[in-house]
Amino acid sequence: MGKKKGGKRLTKRDIAEAIQALFQAHPGETLSFKQIFKALKFDTHPVKMLAIDVMEEMEWDDWLSRVSDNSYKLNLKTQVQEGTFIRKANGKNSFQPDDGGKPVFVAERNSMFALNGDRVKVAFMARRQNHIKEAIVTEILERKHDQAVGILQVEKDFAFLNAEGNFFTSDILIPKKKLKGGKTGEKAVVKIIQWPSAESKKIIGEVVDVLGKQGENNVEMHAILAQYGLPYKYPKKVEDAAQKINAEISAEEIARREDFRDVFTCTIDPKDAKDFDDALSIRKVGKHWEVGVHIADVSHYVTEGSIIDREAEQRATSVYLVDRTIPMLPERLCNFVCSLRPNEEKLSYSVIFELDDDANIKDWHLAHTVIKSDRRYAYEEVQEILEGKDGDYADELRTLDTLAKHLRERRFKNGAVKFDREELHFDIDDNGKPTRCYFKKSTDATQLIEEFMLLANRTVAEFIGKAGKTKKSEDPNKPSKSKGKTFVYRIHDQPDPQKLENLRTALAPFGYKVKTSGTKGAISKNLNKLMEESQGEREQKLVETLTLRAMMKAKYSTHNIGHYGLAFDYYTHFTSPIRRYPDTMVHRLLTRYQDGGRSVNQDHYEELCEHCSQMEQTAQYAERDSIKYKMVEFMADKVGLEFDAHISGVQSYGLYCEIDDNHCEGLVGMHDLDGDYYEFDERNYCLVGRRTHHKYQLGDAVRIKVARANIEKRQLDFILAD
């Protein structure tokens, strides 16, 4: 069928219409080239080649989906989708579909004034030749932020707020009568009362709180919290409810619990900690060691649905800024009533292990207990004892350390990924000013606590998760299936294959081999090997950064897929109910199921899990911003000084460099890279000079000079020193 009736040759348009009609007549079916050519009587080579080109274009336009190298099917996915709007300062906005598909470009004129993070509905536009795919916002479903934080500017007839962060595109207009006493230069929290529309592009708001003078430590920390919609004050009615809680432990309550008051028990925490979530006990029982992991019994005091519980659920987590903790629970509960303070009788929920000398579990059980901590240790004290210094209960601590080392060794042998996390810390003076900036490294003392917490979390998750797999039937050789009970898991998916491929490409020039496929264990062992081999090498930072980026984020869910990073099939969060709401949920579920209760509503708990995961991420953003603020404050008197650094991030607009000595990070803008025009090589994480081919790669050592320290924008600017 090289020609139409009447002898005319088939045009590209004729072929496209014929293919369209054929696929629309067979929706859902995969058609091979052979079937298509036969059905449409495309029997000459030029027509077949033109048809293949047309189908490739139809795939490009998302009209067809490629199934294999020589087959397609109709793309039934609707051309209208819901997802998240991502606003960029450079105007290159995008739409991120809910189904996890690739982001799609949204021009400013087609954005319907959507703001960063808003949930939107879009329609995909017909793709123009040689143009990228575009979407147009048709409806704003939900606003991500309805309040803003910034600096007030009060004029004669009107006022406005210069908003911080990248959520709002313009200043927010404030009627004079809605100022709540705010003055020019003060920081304020403003609630939006009118969004932009076709009639008016203005955003109008009202002041809900005046935080105070810009630059004051308290004001700046409260501003960071308010910017993310996090609370910076505790509601008085919730604190009043906490004051009314009876902290006395009755004889009847003690009688209902296992009594560990006479067993050596201690807490090990940072030296400035006030809330003690967890304690460890140890004693010799026959040939074995009985180790108790005792967790504050928050759910005994905070009843489900109470005013305190509703506030804790909403907060979902304590927030840790550089100089303060914004607790999930009222201070009376988190620092006093629930906290496992030394020499005080406390209620706890405990996992009691019987371990042999190699830390193999011989037996274990879950119990509500009463304990009395003999000693409150700081990590530094325990570390000194583990290194040989004399101290209280040294033998017990060293035995716990030996058992923890066996647990740790076994975990890595089973495929856990070995990230020795370094945490950035500041020493702060009485006015909140940072006097020192440094990384805290993991030690034997911190790892001792970590291993027993991991063991408890894994064990209780298995207790519920595995019980759902099978139940005993009359024939012991034929276990019958039973529906598992709803539970809260901490899950962590396998690395993104595309990110592993990017890792492989980036590390190949250095001679590293990266496994991009295989079993979970094989990939994680390969990642551990990469990090071990790069220790002390020039590219060590590059390897560590890219490996970390390949990892997915851990989150909470009722749907268990295991925890990839820890190499556990079942994992949960049981050990920190004072500062994490999911742990309180876990305590309640375990108590319910231990008492023979029925499974809870999974959909309701999945919603809670999503909320907790989201709040955890928001808290991390706020923590990061407080670190950035303190970094800039710390470097403010060092403008003009030079430091050794390394490239910690590469972007199209410049290089992020981290100072080796104090770990403060700043940006060398693209305009400050002299002598050449540099292009961004995203796949290989580097900038390459167009003329000289000079390369700036992630992890490279550089010498920088501090150019500017902008406290308002929480931004450090560096230039490369000669």
Side-chain angles (χ1 to χ4, degrees), residues 240-248 301-303 308 332-333 337:
D240 289 347
Q243 290 301 326
K244 290 174 187 163
I245 285 176
N246 183 7
E248 294 296 315
Y301 296 102
V302 180
T303 52
I308 299 172
R332 181 167 181 261
L333 287 179
V337 177

Side-chain angles (χ1 to χ4, degrees), residues 418-449:
K418 201 171 193 173
F419 282 112
D420 278 331
R421 293 183 305 277
E422 294 180 324
E423 290 183 11
L424 190 61
H425 281 258
F426 292 86
D427 287 342
I428 305 278
D429 68 15
D430 293 340
N431 299 316
K433 287 257 187 251
T435 56
R436 181 173 163 238
C437 180
Y438 58 97
F439 265 145
K440 259 191 181 174
K441 288 198 169 185
S442 182
T443 63
D444 285 347
T446 57
Q447 288 167 10
L448 183 162
I449 286 295

Side-chain angles (χ1 to χ4, degrees), residues 168-183:
F168 294 90
T169 48
S170 60
D171 292 336
I172 296 163
L173 198 65
I174 302 165
K176 291 285 283 276
K177 61 184 180 200
K178 302 276 188 185
L179 266 171
K180 214 177 177 180
K183 300 178 184 66

Side-chain angles (χ1 to χ4, degrees), residues 247-460:
E248 294 296 315
I249 303 172
S250 67
E252 292 79 21
E253 187 58 45
I254 289 174
R256 275 196 290 270
R257 293 173 176 258
E258 282 190 37
D259 194 340
F260 277 79
R261 288 175 296 176
D262 294 332
V263 182
F264 164 71
T265 305
C266 68
T267 58
I268 308 174
D269 294 276
K271 61 185 173 202
D272 54 355
K274 291 183 182 129
D275 57 339
F276 310 127
D277 262 309
D278 53 79
L280 290 178
S281 69
I282 184 168
R283 64 178 166 186
K284 191 85 174 175
V285 177
K287 302 186 294 187
H288 297 144
W289 297 102
E290 182 196 75
V291 176
V293 180
H294 306 285
I295 309 302
D297 195 353
V298 170
S299 57
H300 174 82
Y301 296 102
V302 180
T303 52
E304 200 164 356
S306 66
I307 187 171
I308 299 172
D309 183 52
R310 290 198 303 273
E311 181 69 23
E313 181 189 308
Q314 197 179 329
R315 292 177 177 234
T317 179
S318 293
V319 183
Y320 294 90
L321 302 189
V322 166
D323 66 336
R324 70 195 62 201
T325 300
I326 296 84
M328 181 181 81
L329 295 171
E331 190 181 1
R332 181 167 181 261
L333 287 179
C334 65
N335 289 357
F336 298 97
V337 177
C338 298
S339 184
L340 306 181
R341 288 146 58 96
N343 303 311
E344 293 180 14
E345 293 184 353
K346 294 288 175 181
L347 300 182
S348 56
Y349 201 6
S350 309
V351 191
I352 314 299
F353 295 101
E354 197 179 307
L355 305 173
D356 67 14
D357 288 339
D358 295 324
N360 295 303
I361 300 173
K362 294 302 174 184
D363 199 5
W364 76 276
H365 68 281
L366 189 61
H368 288 90
T369 56
V370 57
I371 67 166
K372 189 176 181 183
S373 172
D374 296 283
R375 184 75 153 72
R376 174 262 195 272
Y377 289 102
Y379 285 127
E380 292 80 0
E381 287 178 275
V382 173
Q383 188 60 30
E384 286 178 351
I385 290 169
L386 299 184
E387 287 172 4
K389 188 178 175 182
D390 285 339
D392 298 340
Y393 308 105
D395 290 344
E396 286 86 346
L397 291 174
R398 286 172 191 148
T399 301
L400 285 168
D401 180 51
T402 303
L403 294 169
K405 284 189 166 84
H406 286 306
L407 291 168
R408 188 174 172 81
E409 186 186 349
R410 204 149 50 233
R411 191 159 59 81
F412 290 127
K413 202 173 173 182
N414 290 338
V417 183
K418 201 171 193 173
F419 282 112
D420 278 331
R421 293 183 305 277
E422 294 180 324
E423 290 183 11
L424 190 61
H425 281 258
F426 292 86
D427 287 342
I428 305 278
D429 68 15
D430 293 340
N431 299 316
K433 287 257 187 251
T435 56
R436 181 173 163 238
C437 180
Y438 58 97
F439 265 145
K440 259 191 181 174
K441 288 198 169 185
S442 182
T443 63
D444 285 347
T446 57
Q447 288 167 10
L448 183 162
I449 286 295
E450 182 183 28
E451 287 309 322
F452 283 109
M453 298 307 121
L454 292 176
L455 183 66
N457 287 333
R458 187 192 83 196
T459 304
V460 297

Side-chain angles (χ1 to χ4, degrees), residues 217-234:
N217 188 57
N218 265 351
V219 171
E220 296 298 339
M221 293 300 114
H222 286 170
I224 288 168
L225 293 164
Q227 185 182 321
Y228 288 103
L230 294 167
Y232 47 92
K233 290 187 275 199
Y234 221 95

Side-chain angles (χ1 to χ4, degrees), residues 23-218:
F23 275 99
Q24 281 172 334
H26 298 86
E29 285 183 42
T30 298
L31 302 177
S32 68
F33 288 172
K34 196 174 176 183
Q35 289 170 305
I36 295 162
F37 299 157
K38 189 177 177 185
L40 299 176
K41 299 190 171 69
F42 291 170
D43 48 21
T44 68
H45 185 69
V47 170
K48 287 177 182 177
M49 291 300 101
L50 194 53
I52 289 170
D53 286 347
V54 167
M55 285 186 277
E56 280 179 355
E57 285 178 19
M58 286 177 164
E59 183 200 1
W60 175 252
D61 286 330
D62 285 327
W63 205 85
L64 292 180
S65 291
R66 186 189 288 267
V67 178
S68 71
D69 285 344
N70 61 357
S71 66
Y72 288 95
K73 68 177 181 181
L74 190 66
N75 186 0
L76 294 172
K77 194 184 283 182
T78 172
Q79 293 301 295
V80 175
Q81 279 194 22
E82 293 182 5
T84 305
F85 185 81
I86 298 159
R87 176 169 286 287
K88 294 281 175 67
N90 60 9
K92 292 182 178 175
N93 310 319
S94 61
F95 164 76
Q96 178 65 60
D98 281 343
D99 65 5
K102 287 183 180 174
V104 182
F105 174 69
V106 181
E108 188 56 45
R109 66 182 178 279
N110 296 325
S111 71
M112 210 178 170
F113 311 107
L115 301 176
N116 196 43
D118 287 353
R119 275 193 53 69
V120 295
K121 187 181 278 187
V122 302
F124 294 122
M125 300 166 72
R127 196 192 306 232
R128 292 171 291 159
Q129 197 169 4
N130 299 326
H131 278 67
I132 59 167
K133 187 176 174 182
E134 283 192 55
I136 180 168
V137 177
T138 57
E139 188 183 346
I140 293 168
L141 302 170
E142 188 186 333
R143 292 285 184 182
K144 170 79 172 171
H145 297 274
D146 66 350
Q147 69 173 34
V149 182
I151 309 292
L152 286 172
Q153 183 72 38
V154 183
E155 304 291 348
K156 187 181 173 190
D157 299 318
F158 63 91
F160 59 86
L161 183 91
N162 184 355
E164 293 175 348
N166 63 343
F167 304 127
F168 294 90
T169 48
S170 60
D171 292 336
I172 296 163
L173 198 65
I174 302 165
K176 291 285 283 276
K177 61 184 180 200
K178 302 276 188 185
L179 266 171
K180 214 177 177 180
K183 300 178 184 66
T184 294
E186 288 186 316
K187 284 213 163 177
V189 184
V190 166
K191 187 168 179 61
I192 309 304
I193 53 177
Q194 184 183 307
W195 295 100
S197 63
E199 291 75 45
S200 168
K201 293 182 181 177
K202 294 189 180 83
I203 303 176
I204 299 174
E206 62 179 0
V207 174
V208 292
D209 200 1
V210 179
L211 298 174
K213 222 169 139 189
Q214 183 186 1
E216 287 179 1
N217 188 57
N218 265 351

